[in-house]
Amino acid sequence: MRKLPRSSFSTRSTRRRGFSPLVLVGVLVTVVIALAVGGVVFLLPRLGSHAAGAANADCTLIVPAHPLSATGLATPYQLMAANPDNGPCNEANPNQSAFVQGAVIDKATGTISVYDPLVIDKGTNPAAAPVMPKLTATSVVGLWFGFNGNNLTLRGTRGSLQEGNCVNGVNGSIFGQFPYCNAPAFFRAANQTIGAGNLVPPPIGMAKDGQPCPTVRDFGVVDQDQSDNVTTSYLVTANGQTAQATAANMNALQSQQTLTNASDNRLLAIALDGALGCTPWMAPDLADPGKMTTALPLDELQAAAHQANPVALVPARDPMVLNNNNRDLNKTNA
């Protein structure tokens, strides 16, 4: 059995989840995902009213109009409280931070790129304007969300949830931390290009311990709801404004720190792969020219192509897929 790093800190809420031995793995190493990137440790912000504490754990994210277009991707998502009576939601508070990850596959070439839209507080401005990505007529965009609180609800702008094919559970029962938009269409396009030989997921490789490198479908690392949350990170300034984590913004913004999502995919692609000498599948970052970056859909496609049996899937009694505490096959499939 692999020996994983120990930790006593986790930004992921455990209030709505029962204990599972598999969850223990995530609890032990979440600090690595939340705070370590490339061996550099970032201190999360403590910014007056944004400081971590007894925060409202249920927030709403406003999805901009035309979310699958270049303009929609470059329009900041806005975070607000689901119920203002429970207190505000602030993106700079690491217990309330929401994250968006986008991936673009060009069906004509089979290439995948990554673009992470920005999240700001409702009614505020970003610390730096998001970069406008370049899409083609044959681009298919998928979006995935992460949240460091308990329940993240999506709210549309001029029909954006319908236009973006956004899913956050079924029949009024949300998943919790992890909605998505247009993901089935993205994966269909990816699988078609893989089948045509125009896209080849890289092999998972061999780790330093002599075992195959882990994937998001590996029982050695997954918890009961593997692959929820994303690898996105943002910059946050001293006044609580956020910006995309690009080289240009890192150079231009003063006293910025890094916000990260306590996610299974970040655990895999950053922490475990780094510790085990494995290389995650990476793709060009459309917001940061010349940079390669990780992404949830890359992890999923690689695991689907190369994870050997037994393959870990979401169990029917995972709290994220229960509907009023009852099993729901439609929600599990979703």
Side-chain angles (χ1 to χ4, degrees):
M1 178 178 291
R2 283 194 167 113
K3 209 169 183 179
L4 300 177
R6 286 184 169 272
S7 166
S8 59
F9 174 81
S10 171
T11 58
R12 169 173 288 181
S13 171
T14 56
R15 181 174 62 83
R16 60 180 177 80
R17 302 181 181 186
F19 178 80
S20 162
L22 295 178
V23 177
L24 182 60
V25 175
V27 174
L28 291 176
V29 297
T30 298
V31 65
V32 184
I33 359 174
L35 301 180
V37 181
V40 179
V41 175
F42 298 92
L43 295 177
L44 294 174
R46 297 184 180 275
L47 305 167
S49 63
H50 300 298
N56 185 354
D58 299 329
C59 302
T60 293
L61 195 60
I62 301 175
V63 178
H66 313 301
L68 305 181
S69 68
T71 300
L73 290 171
T75 301
Y77 287 63
Q78 298 184 68
L79 187 72
M80 59 180 288
N83 181 354
D85 291 340
N86 295 331
C89 286
N90 298 119
E91 179 64 15
N93 185 334
N95 290 333
Q96 299 175 314
S97 303
F99 301 82
V100 189
Q101 183 146 74
V104 182
I105 183 165
D106 189 326
K107 293 191 294 184
T109 63
T111 58
I112 295 179
S113 302
V114 177
Y115 183 89
D116 294 339
L118 181 64
V119 176
I120 63 175
D121 289 342
K122 185 178 185 297
T124 67
N125 295 313
V131 175
M132 180 73 72
K134 293 182 179 179
L135 306 182
T136 69
T138 52
S139 294
V140 178
V141 177
L143 296 167
W144 295 263
F145 299 83
F147 185 47
N148 288 347
N150 283 349
N151 296 299
L152 183 67
T153 303
L154 299 184
R155 181 172 130 186
T157 303
R158 301 195 301 275
S160 59
L161 298 186
Q162 293 75 22
E163 182 179 336
N165 301 313
C166 298
V167 176
N168 189 15
V170 294
N171 303 325
S173 175
I174 67 172
F175 294 129
Q177 298 172 322
F178 180 65
Y180 58 81
C181 299
N182 211 44
F186 174 90
F187 285 122
R188 280 195 300 270
N191 288 326
Q192 288 169 0
T193 57
I194 290 172
N198 295 327
L199 176 65
V200 180
I204 60 176
M206 191 66 66
K208 291 189 294 187
D209 61 2
Q211 299 183 51
C213 288
T215 77
V216 289
R217 303 292 174 85
D218 185 336
F219 273 108
V221 299
V222 304
D223 60 11
Q224 62 189 346
D225 40 54
Q226 76 269 26
S227 307
D228 65 327
N229 294 281
V230 294
T231 64
T232 301
S233 61
Y234 298 131
L235 301 178
V236 59
T237 62
N239 65 357
Q241 290 180 294
T242 53
Q244 290 172 310
T246 65
N249 288 341
M250 290 179 186
N251 290 330
L253 298 176
Q254 299 296 316
S255 303
Q256 89 276 359
Q257 298 179 58
T258 302
L259 282 175
T260 57
N261 187 202
S263 75
D264 297 315
N265 289 72
R266 191 172 187 84
L267 165 64
L268 172 74
I270 305 297
L272 292 181
D273 278 356
L276 293 171
C278 298
T279 303
W281 187 6
M282 306 175 81
D285 187 342
L286 295 178
D288 200 358
K291 177 185 174 184
M292 301 292 284
T293 190
T294 59
L296 177 149
L298 298 178
D299 296 338
E300 293 299 316
L301 290 170
Q302 188 177 39
H306 299 300
Q307 175 60 47
N309 288 326
V311 178
L313 298 175
V314 174
R317 292 206 61 84
D318 177 353
M320 289 186 71
V321 299
L322 295 179
N323 191 338
N324 196 26
N325 290 322
N326 295 314
R327 298 188 188 197
D328 188 325
L329 181 59
N330 290 332
K331 193 176 183 186
T332 303
N333 289 337

